Amino acid sequence: MNFIDELLKDEKIEWKELGEVCEIIKGKQFNKENMLEIASYPVINGGIFPSGYVEIYNQNANTITISQGGASAGYVNFIEKRFWLGAHAYAVIPKDEILNRYVYHFLKMKQNKLQDKKEGAGIPSISKSFIETLKIPIPSIEKQEKIVKILDNFTKYVTELQAELQARNKQYNYYRDMLLSEDYLNKISEKLDSLNNENDVLRLTTLGEIGKFTRGNGLQKKDFREKGKPVIHYGQIYTQYSFSTENTISFTEEDIFSKLRKAKPNDILIATTSENIEDVAKSTVWLGNEEVGFSGDMYSYSTNENSKYIAYYFQTAEFQKQKERKVTGTKLIRIHGEDMEKFTISLPPIEIQNKIVKILDRFQEILSDTKGLLPLEIEQRRKQYEYYREKLLTFDK
């Protein structure tokens, strides 16, 4: 008999609807224009990440939330500090007979089911009544405590691994921003000037002066085929592609491809629509050997400079500052090519661009190297958590 069988042996289980043992609370609207970039309490709304920050709160720490509306409707989270519960999210408040973290692990197990129940032709949403009718198994408080302890140990370990990976990413971001900063490039420029080489001059220019933005069109997910001409949809840039790619995961037929905008090898593909400001203008460099078709809600950027240098610049804090001043929308954030054309960039000669790209490529390799184990181990531990969660919370009715 394994430890799970031993733990659950002879345990009496009562099944109840979630609405019987928890209070489901819908949040209140807090207008985007009244939020702050830095404040004491996050605003938890329909997305995965905070919508902004405010100086008041309406929910206490250690509260379960479920996104109510938007693309992330059904996403389950556990907020460990006081926060403002927005109009597009629910808080789940357990009653005395059931533990908070027990409910959280159960709902996290049901997250896919919740997300499959999104309704609505416009902005998808999930109803309070559906959440309330979920059936949850309720063992004794003592058994709940033991189950929670086991599952929390898994999530704690994953969190620690993620923190270590985040620290490495932070270190990479620091060096990337330093290498691409105006101060650092000016120092290089001064050394080059001392050699009296007129071609080796750092110049302040704009993205529009050194390249061309082309807006995508037409491609929809229903146009995907298992083989054919290579295509990229804007939504895939967030989830499927990293800094650069030589291959696509999607294809389409010749007739559809012929009507699409095309990106050439070494062009940058930029997603221009997102639920949050941080992800707007996320990009990937197309390194394939042929043209690739791309969808609306994105642009290609073509330049004679080192395109990877420009794409690395897109990741910098300086680019983020310029971007934040030009995004539009509240629930759906957008940025336009004509605005990005005006963004300034400190551009060294191509030889220096190539050297900086070589350094940053090496940093990227170190970060993504599975021999470093972190990304791989995080995924393995997450699967391990999901396996034991399923075993511990799926009782025989």
Side-chain angles (χ1 to χ4, degrees):
M1 182 179 293
N2 62 41
F3 83 94
I4 294 177
D5 293 334
E6 184 66 32
L7 175 66
L8 303 179
K9 182 182 178 183
D10 299 326
E11 181 67 17
K12 184 179 179 181
I13 304 299
E14 188 174 6
W15 288 80
K16 291 187 177 181
E17 291 189 350
L18 195 68
E20 296 180 63
V21 294
C22 295
E23 184 180 5
I24 314 295
I25 300 171
K26 193 171 187 293
K28 295 183 179 179
Q29 181 67 31
F30 204 110
N31 293 331
K32 185 74 175 179
E33 57 267 24
N34 296 327
M35 297 181 196
L36 305 170
E37 290 185 14
I38 300 175
S40 301
Y41 308 108
V43 178
I44 304 301
N45 228 328
I48 293 175
F49 303 102
S51 301
Y53 295 85
V54 293
E55 287 298 347
I56 57 174
Y57 66 90
N58 61 4
Q59 293 295 322
N60 289 319
N62 300 318
T63 296
I64 305 162
T65 64
I66 302 175
S67 296
Q68 179 265 336
S72 301
Y75 178 78
V76 178
N77 207 349
F78 191 84
I79 311 302
E80 296 181 344
K81 62 182 293 184
R82 291 170 175 172
F83 66 99
W84 182 274
L85 181 71
H88 297 285
Y90 299 111
V92 181
I93 314 296
K95 298 176 184 177
D96 292 340
E97 65 186 291
I98 195 165
L99 296 178
N100 196 18
R101 288 292 292 180
Y102 180 85
V103 175
Y104 166 73
H105 289 299
F106 171 79
L107 286 173
K108 202 65 179 174
M109 182 177 69
K110 296 294 184 182
Q111 181 172 280
N112 288 340
K113 183 176 181 179
L114 289 167
Q115 292 178 326
D116 288 342
K117 282 294 180 178
K118 289 185 289 191
E119 301 173 340
I123 298 174
S125 62
I126 186 168
S127 68
K128 178 181 175 181
S129 60
F130 174 75
I131 298 172
E132 289 175 330
T133 56
L134 285 175
K135 290 291 185 69
I136 182 170
I138 306 175
S140 66
I141 289 292
E142 180 187 10
K143 285 295 191 289
Q144 290 180 43
E145 288 173 345
K146 290 181 178 180
I147 290 170
V148 166
K149 184 177 180 180
I150 293 168
L151 296 178
D152 277 355
N153 281 336
F154 282 115
T155 57
K156 180 183 177 183
Y157 187 46
V158 169
T159 300
E160 289 171 351
L161 290 172
Q162 288 173 329
E164 186 174 347
L165 182 60
Q166 187 176 13
R168 294 189 184 186
N169 280 322
K170 189 174 181 181
Q171 185 181 36
Y172 161 72
N173 292 342
Y174 169 81
Y175 283 111
R176 181 200 61 217
D177 285 9
M178 183 197 74
L179 287 170
L180 297 173
S181 70
E182 188 174 352
D183 287 345
Y184 183 82
L185 294 171
N186 272 328
K187 290 177 183 178
I188 296 176
S189 182
E190 288 170 6
K191 291 181 180 180
L192 294 173
D193 287 345
S194 67
L195 300 175
N196 296 318
N197 188 340
E198 294 182 359
N199 294 321
D200 291 339
V201 177
L202 177 69
R203 57 194 174 108
L204 185 64
T205 184
T206 65
L207 293 176
E209 289 174 345
I210 60 171
K212 179 182 178 182
F213 288 94
T214 302
R215 188 174 183 175
N217 68 309
L219 180 69
Q220 300 180 46
K221 291 180 180 178
K222 66 181 178 64
D223 299 324
F224 292 168
R225 304 292 183 266
E226 290 186 4
K227 58 183 180 178
K229 304 296 286 185
V231 291
I232 292 179
H233 189 271
Y234 84 94
Q236 295 172 331
I237 291 182
Y238 300 117
T239 58
Q240 303 292 333
Y241 293 104
S242 55
F243 176 77
S244 63
T245 184
E246 297 178 359
N247 303 290
T248 66
I249 61 167
S250 299
F251 303 88
T252 196
E253 58 197 47
E254 185 68 49
D255 286 348
I256 295 172
F257 186 78
S258 65
K259 300 172 186 176
L260 300 176
R261 298 279 195 274
K262 316 292 193 305
K264 303 185 301 296
N266 293 313
D267 283 357
I268 306 170
L269 291 166
I270 309 162
T272 54
T273 301
S274 177
E275 293 182 355
N276 60 78
I277 294 174
E278 184 179 358
D279 281 343
V280 170
K282 190 175 187 298
S283 66
T284 188
V285 183
W286 173 242
L287 299 178
N289 296 321
E290 59 183 319
E291 289 187 328
V292 61
F294 60 98
S295 73
D297 286 321
M298 62 186 292
Y299 286 82
S300 69
Y301 180 72
S302 180
T303 179
N304 290 326
E305 307 296 335
N306 189 316
S307 56
K308 292 179 80 174
Y309 180 92
I310 307 297
Y312 278 125
Y313 172 71
F314 287 170
Q315 297 179 342
T316 63
E318 176 58 33
F319 179 81
Q320 296 296 318
K321 289 177 186 176
Q322 296 190 68
K323 181 182 73 176
E324 287 171 6
R325 292 195 289 265
K326 290 297 182 180
V327 295
T328 60
T330 52
K331 294 178 182 176
L332 196 62
I333 311 297
R334 295 181 182 276
I335 193 163
H336 301 284
E338 53 266 34
D339 289 319
M340 289 190 288
E341 287 176 353
K342 300 170 187 174
F343 288 4
T344 58
I345 179 173
S346 296
L347 196 69
I350 193 70
E351 293 82 3
I352 301 302
Q353 293 178 41
N354 295 342
K355 288 180 180 180
I356 290 174
V357 164
K358 188 175 181 180
I359 294 169
L360 293 176
D361 279 351
R362 181 57 187 142
F363 276 135
Q364 290 258 69
E365 289 174 13
I366 293 170
L367 275 179
S368 59
D369 188 358
T370 53
K371 292 180 182 177
L373 289 180
L374 278 177
L376 181 61
E377 187 169 1
I378 288 170
E379 182 61 24
Q380 288 174 337
R381 296 304 180 187
R382 186 180 287 116
K383 287 180 179 178
Q384 194 175 31
Y385 159 71
E386 291 171 357
Y387 170 81
Y388 281 105
R389 183 184 64 195
E390 190 79 20
K391 290 290 185 182
L392 288 165
L393 295 176
T394 306
F395 294 89
D396 183 359
K397 291 185 182 183

